[in-house]
Amino acid sequence: MEQLEQKIQKLSPELQSEVEKFIELLLVKRSHEDNISLVKEPSVEYQTTQQRIQNQIDIQQHVQSACNVSISDHEVISFPPALTPLAEEIEHSKYILEFEDNWDDEGAIKYESATWVRAVVYISNAAKKMLDRTGKVISKPTISHGPQGSIDIHWSTDKYYLLINIPMQENVPANFYGSDRKNISLKGTIDTVSSDDLNLGLFFILENVQ
Amino acid sequence: MWEQELIPDSDTLFLRVHKNNYNKETHVPRPIAFDDHGGAMSTDWNKYSTPEETRNRTPKKPDSYGVLSLIVKDVRSIHNQKVEHTPRLENRDHTDVIGLKDTEARIKFSEIFKWEILPPQ
């Protein structure tokens, strides 16, 4: 019963209320069985409530499969199932926000959540646009803390490596360097604030090298 | 004071890596591990040091660090990076890797390292 209560507490308030109503009906039914020892059919109210709960569970499971990552108290990024590995990495990279000043024992500063948000919004938008426009899934990067309060987004695959550094200052463009490990190397800057400059070509070239 | 020496391409440099700069899932250093402190990236020359000595030389907490090695020739092949023996009275093996640690340099360092002592989990 205690486990059940814990599970209920994790549900949305709306679903919690439905489940509690459902349990109440079950208890009434049980009490009815105990007293009269015969229940032929569940009541209409009982069946309707059961169906409503099932519908809500279905909706909740669908939302979960779409992979939502909360990036602030009121902002959530939603990912299609193909980008689940990226969503998981973003979730994992929240460790960066837990660092306090002097996290390296050598006086390093802590990280601003605004910098991390800018980095994860940038890579999420780039990955979603790449998927929408080309059907290609960007390989999962590693999102790490970078120098001087910046954030590093790093890929190292058999085919290529790429490092994008998102600076702490919003008005300073991000720097990147990438290579196909053979002949192609790409170096430059990206405006991570403007949604029109996602530099999809960068990912497209590196993801498609032979 | 120790004399400054020329470091051969075939020699090795040891770099201390803090546990927070180690990716425990992928077992590689995060790119920030290759950064300047005080104008250069401080390393130790293997002619006068071992990985253990490099780790224990920190005035902080040696148990919080691992040590990786870099071959001097590979370091010199990275854009704008110079290897300069900068001995100190108490540290004859001290060597600076001088040059801007931009995205190109940092990602290239992360492609040429070898672990000598893994940082703690």
Side-chain angles (χ1 to χ4, degrees):
Chain A
M1 192 64 184
E2 201 177 314
Q3 280 182 336
L4 182 63
E5 279 171 359
Q6 284 172 354
K7 281 182 183 174
I8 292 170
Q9 280 169 7
K10 288 178 185 168
L11 298 173
S12 66
E14 198 182 2
L15 195 51
Q16 255 185 51
S17 152
E18 291 290 338
V19 171
E20 279 162 6
K21 215 183 286 179
F22 182 64
I23 290 171
E24 205 175 311
L25 282 169
L26 275 179
L27 292 175
V28 170
K29 178 173 171 276
R30 180 65 187 270
S31 158
H32 188 68
E33 281 173 345
D34 288 344
N35 291 334
I36 304 176
S37 76
L38 179 66
V39 174
K40 287 181 181 172
E41 290 293 332
S43 68
V44 173
E45 190 186 0
Y46 173 82
Q47 288 181 44
T48 312
T49 306
Q50 195 179 31
Q51 187 57 51
R52 279 214 311 271
I53 289 171
Q54 189 56 50
N55 291 345
Q56 290 227 17
I57 288 171
D58 288 345
I59 290 167
Q60 202 168 53
Q61 282 176 346
H62 175 73
V63 169
Q64 282 167 352
S65 71
C67 246
N68 290 333
V69 178
S70 163
I71 58 167
S72 71
D73 289 345
H74 51 276
E75 287 173 287
V76 170
I77 304 179
S78 190
F79 294 89
L83 297 179
T84 300
L86 174 61
E88 287 171 351
E89 177 58 22
I90 290 172
E91 190 66 47
H92 183 256
S93 72
K94 289 179 180 174
Y95 82 89
I96 296 168
L97 304 176
E98 291 170 11
F99 281 156
E100 296 292 339
D101 284 337
N102 197 34
W103 55 264
D104 65 349
D105 299 325
E106 292 185 24
I109 58 171
K110 68 178 185 181
Y111 291 82
E112 300 288 336
S113 62
T115 315
W116 177 81
V117 167
R118 210 163 64 250
V120 300
V121 166
Y122 165 72
I123 190 57
S124 303
N125 286 343
K128 285 197 269 189
K129 282 205 173 178
M130 179 86 166
L131 185 64
D132 285 348
R133 292 180 188 176
T134 69
K136 300 266 182 193
V137 175
I138 291 175
S139 302
K140 186 180 89 165
T142 301
I143 302 169
S144 301
H145 53 291
Q148 287 90 47
S150 67
I151 302 291
D152 282 334
I153 309 174
H154 178 208
W155 290 260
S156 182
T157 73
D158 292 341
K159 291 198 297 186
Y160 70 92
Y161 56 79
L162 171 65
L163 177 62
I164 301 175
N165 179 254
I166 313 289
M168 186 168 70
Q169 301 83 354
E170 189 177 331
N171 56 349
V172 176
N175 283 288
F176 70 86
Y177 180 85
S179 167
D180 69 343
R181 300 183 182 279
K182 293 177 195 162
N183 314 315
I184 303 171
S185 62
L186 302 161
K187 187 175 187 172
T189 58
I190 306 169
D191 178 359
T192 54
V193 179
S194 160
S195 58
D196 293 323
D197 185 12
L198 292 167
N199 222 311
L200 293 187
L202 173 67
F203 298 106
F204 193 77
I205 290 168
L206 292 173
E207 290 284 355
N208 286 282
V209 290
Q210 296 302 313
Chain B
M1 190 62 182
W2 307 107
E3 265 191 39
Q4 188 181 38
E5 299 175 56
L6 287 175
I7 303 181
D9 274 355
S10 56
D11 281 9
T12 296
L13 304 176
F14 298 128
L15 174 70
R16 218 168 24 244
V17 176
H18 191 269
K19 62 182 178 183
N20 283 339
N21 292 337
Y22 168 60
N23 188 328
K24 295 166 186 71
E25 277 75 44
T26 58
H27 303 289
V28 297
R30 297 187 186 274
I32 192 179
F34 305 101
D35 197 16
D36 290 341
H37 293 274
M41 186 167 79
S42 273
T43 63
D44 289 338
W45 185 5
N46 73 332
K47 183 175 178 181
Y48 300 114
S49 186
T50 65
E52 288 74 19
E53 285 168 342
T54 292
R55 186 183 61 172
N56 294 335
R57 195 167 283 121
T58 175
K60 314 289 180 184
K61 304 167 193 160
D63 289 349
S64 297
Y65 291 85
V67 174
L68 57 78
S69 61
L70 301 161
I71 295 169
V72 172
K73 184 181 178 184
D74 295 340
V75 173
R76 286 182 171 139
S77 74
I78 297 174
H79 181 63
N80 283 341
Q81 303 302 309
K82 289 179 185 166
V83 176
E84 196 173 297
H85 184 216
T86 48
R88 295 169 179 174
L89 192 59
E90 76 292 358
N91 184 5
R92 188 176 185 180
D93 47 85
H94 188 264
T95 301
D96 278 329
V97 178
I98 302 164
L100 181 66
K101 304 301 180 291
D102 58 5
T103 48
E104 178 177 357
R106 291 191 296 123
I107 197 170
K108 284 183 173 174
F109 279 121
S110 70
E111 295 285 324
I112 61 168
F113 79 94
K114 180 188 156 205
W115 284 117
E116 299 293 336
I117 303 170
L118 277 177
Q121 291 289 327

